[in-house]
Amino acid sequence: MAKKILFETDLKFLKKADEEIYNALISEKQRQMEGIELIPSENLVSQGVLEALGSIATNKYSEGYPGKRYYGGNEFIDVIENLAIERAKKLFTAEHVNVQPLSGSPANMAMYYALMELGDVFMGLKLTEGGHLTHGHPVNFSGRQYKCVSYGVDKTTEMLDYDAIKKLALEAKPKLILSGYTAYPRAIDFKAFREISDAVGAYCCADIAHIAGLCAAGVHENPVPYFDVVTTTTHKTLRGPRSAMIMCKNAFAEKIDKAVFPGLQGGPHEHVIAAKAVAFKEALEPSFRDYAAQIVKNSKALADVLIAKGLRLVSGGTDNHLILIDVFKSKSLTGKQVEHALELAGIYCNKNTIPFDSRTPWDPSGIRIGTPAITTRGMKETHMKEVGEFISKGIENASDPAKLAEIKAEVKEFCKAFPFYK
Ligand code: DSN
């Protein structure tokens, strides 16, 4: 059954205060409701999360931590932040949680600052093979301030080769080894990373931004209980507000907290922390486990449909919420062309490099899609046949704007069965 809850987002005060912003937001809501959202790092949040996010907690300065602030008047802000911390600890079985990082990149920066000296060696997955900019890319602070020895995936399987990673770690002797990725469609063997890190005396860390909701729900192995430090954003599969947090062993708590504040940030965004607390409460409900399991069922079902349509999937399929399609090899179209064509058809994805890509990140060989948002709207495996059909038709008609407009109308009709925001 499609999710029939309709959340109110009528913005009646904003309409009077600022018509231009109001109109843009209403159009954006319409776009979200009339299209098929397949960007795997996006999701739709509940009314509770939205209300906390738009609340008066935004008015308050609260530099410091609960019980130890640099400003007066933080009695209720402490209640909010402590609730967020306690819920996150329970959700991930974490010893210590810092809920103040503003976003994923600052969370990773704080983790590096806490555990390494500038210039130290660390290991992360190459951006072009599924890693993130902050995992050591040369244009990012992580690659400029530290020496990153990047690992990759195996050329044949397009999956992680743990023996090769261990061999590289033995040679590079990194201070920190990072796992967790942004474009890797397969399960991660976190226990193998713990063993490799121990073998070379490195800090064992992960950025689980993409799979956090799956980890919290037990649908993917959760590294938090036995890793040193784990960062995550809170708005992807975890379905909270756009933000982040850091989870760690008690042994690293002081270093992590100091790196976040006063090391890198000033006043925390307590309205966002309130919204994180709400999202964590939702994720602790048994229904969130069903949601996370359904994300993966939908992803696997969609992968099967796409393979049947003649599309080559990186690594041959998926174990999680995301799918990487090699559109260049499958259909002689670039990722940029397909992203644009699908957008004209009301289907949203992002162009993405594939392992060993011969093309550039700006116009790569692949697209990346995922099922977190469409699963929130109530779609199930049976609906993946239609979603796959829309994707395939969009790709086949990539150079025909009239046909893409027809598909967009069909997509809009299809989406009516999955309302979410009023
Ligand atoms: N930009 C995010 C994503 O889309 O995966 C990663 O931070």
Side-chain angles (χ1 to χ4, degrees):
M1 269 297 284
K3 191 174 176 119
K4 293 295 174 203
I5 301 166
L6 283 184
F7 295 128
E8 292 283 352
T9 49
D10 58 358
L11 310 173
K12 52 184 181 294
F13 291 97
L14 183 64
K15 188 176 183 182
K16 283 195 189 125
D18 187 333
E19 215 176 333
E20 289 160 291
I21 291 294
Y22 169 83
N23 286 336
L25 284 171
I26 293 297
S27 300
E28 170 59 12
K29 180 175 71 179
Q30 205 173 330
R31 185 196 69 79
Q32 289 185 16
M33 291 299 93
E34 293 179 357
I36 298 178
E37 182 51 74
L38 293 174
I39 294 173
S41 45
E42 295 187 10
N43 214 327
L44 305 172
V45 299
S46 71
Q47 183 111 40
V49 170
L50 280 180
E51 285 182 5
L53 205 49
S55 71
I56 54 165
T58 193
N59 297 338
K60 190 73 196 98
Y61 250 120
S62 51
E63 275 161 303
Y65 289 102
K68 202 179 166 203
R69 305 283 188 182
Y70 287 81
Y71 292 78
N74 274 297
E75 183 186 351
F76 305 110
I77 292 298
D78 279 2
V79 172
I80 291 170
E81 192 164 333
N82 278 327
L83 278 169
I85 291 167
E86 289 313 313
R87 289 173 185 172
K89 279 166 125 175
K90 195 167 169 198
L91 196 53
F92 288 94
T93 322
E95 287 184 10
H96 178 79
V97 180
N98 186 311
V99 292
Q100 294 191 2
L102 303 176
S103 202
S105 295
N108 285 344
M109 191 179 233
M111 169 175 65
Y112 298 150
Y113 277 18
L115 300 180
M116 294 193 282
E117 297 300 326
L118 297 184
D120 276 351
V121 176
F122 82 103
M123 283 174 60
L125 182 65
K126 279 179 205 148
L127 178 82
T128 47
E129 295 177 28
H132 187 250
L133 274 172
T134 56
H135 297 180
H137 194 276
V139 301
N140 183 261
F141 83 90
S142 57
R144 297 175 66 176
Q145 299 184 344
Y146 301 97
K147 189 170 180 305
C148 181
V149 176
S150 300
Y151 56 93
V153 294
D154 178 78
K155 199 158 189 175
T156 313
T157 63
E158 297 175 306
M159 295 191 216
L160 296 171
D161 174 345
Y162 297 92
D163 290 332
I165 296 168
K166 184 172 182 179
K167 191 165 170 277
L168 189 62
L170 287 166
E171 286 162 17
K173 299 184 182 58
K175 193 143 180 203
L176 182 159
I177 299 178
L178 186 69
S179 51
Y181 315 109
T182 60
Y184 184 69
R186 293 300 183 172
I188 302 165
D189 185 348
F190 284 123
K191 293 207 168 80
F193 274 103
R194 180 76 256 184
E195 281 168 26
I196 295 168
S197 303
D198 288 344
V200 299
Y203 292 123
C204 184
C205 300
D207 169 354
I208 59 166
H210 263 262
I211 55 170
L214 309 184
C215 294
V219 173
H220 189 290
E221 168 80 8
N222 171 22
V224 176
Y226 58 93
F227 266 38
D228 296 323
V229 181
V230 176
T231 63
T232 185
T233 52
T234 48
H235 49 273
K236 299 183 175 103
T237 49
L238 197 48
R239 208 165 56 180
R242 183 161 298 282
S243 194
M245 66 177 162
I246 305 177
M247 299 167 276
C248 65
K249 292 284 195 196
N250 279 331
F252 304 101
E254 197 182 334
K255 281 186 171 180
I256 288 292
D257 287 352
K258 278 189 175 157
V260 174
F261 174 84
L264 288 163
Q265 294 184 184
H269 295 181
E270 293 293 344
H271 58 306
V272 187
I273 291 176
K276 281 187 253 194
V278 176
F280 299 158
K281 186 166 190 269
E282 290 173 0
L284 283 162
E285 293 292 326
S287 59
F288 189 84
R289 243 169 278 146
D290 300 337
Y291 163 65
Q294 190 64 49
I295 290 177
V296 178
K297 283 185 210 163
N298 284 352
S299 184
K300 285 177 184 286
L302 183 55
D304 289 343
V305 175
L306 297 172
I307 291 169
K309 296 278 177 196
L311 292 163
R312 188 186 91 78
L313 306 191
V314 167
S315 81
T318 180
D319 298 323
N320 59 23
H321 64 301
L322 75 83
I323 296 165
L324 263 183
I325 310 175
D326 180 353
V327 286
F328 195 64
K329 184 151 189 200
S330 312
K331 301 287 169 185
S332 302
L333 289 166
T334 72
K336 192 174 168 185
Q337 287 170 326
V338 172
E339 179 196 286
H340 181 63
L342 292 182
E343 185 170 3
L344 293 179
I347 301 163
Y348 305 102
C349 70
N350 67 275
K351 54 184 164 293
N352 215 99
T353 51
I354 59 166
F356 308 97
D357 210 325
S358 55
R359 304 184 56 82
T360 65
W362 182 242
D363 194 6
S365 299
I367 59 163
R368 187 184 66 153
I369 61 170
T371 52
I374 57 173
T375 306
T376 292
R377 289 188 76 167
M379 293 183 202
K380 297 270 166 29
E381 293 101 303
T382 47
H383 305 114
M384 293 307 109
K385 193 165 180 296
E386 284 145 295
V387 173
E389 188 75 44
F390 284 133
I391 296 170
S392 172
K393 267 204 292 184
I395 295 176
E396 296 301 339
N397 294 284
S399 54
D400 183 346
K403 187 72 196 163
L404 293 170
E406 268 175 41
I407 300 169
K408 187 173 184 173
E410 289 170 29
V411 164
K412 183 176 167 183
E413 200 50 37
F414 171 74
C415 286
K416 280 187 186 155
F418 306 94
F420 197 74
Y421 298 126
K422 246 186 200 169

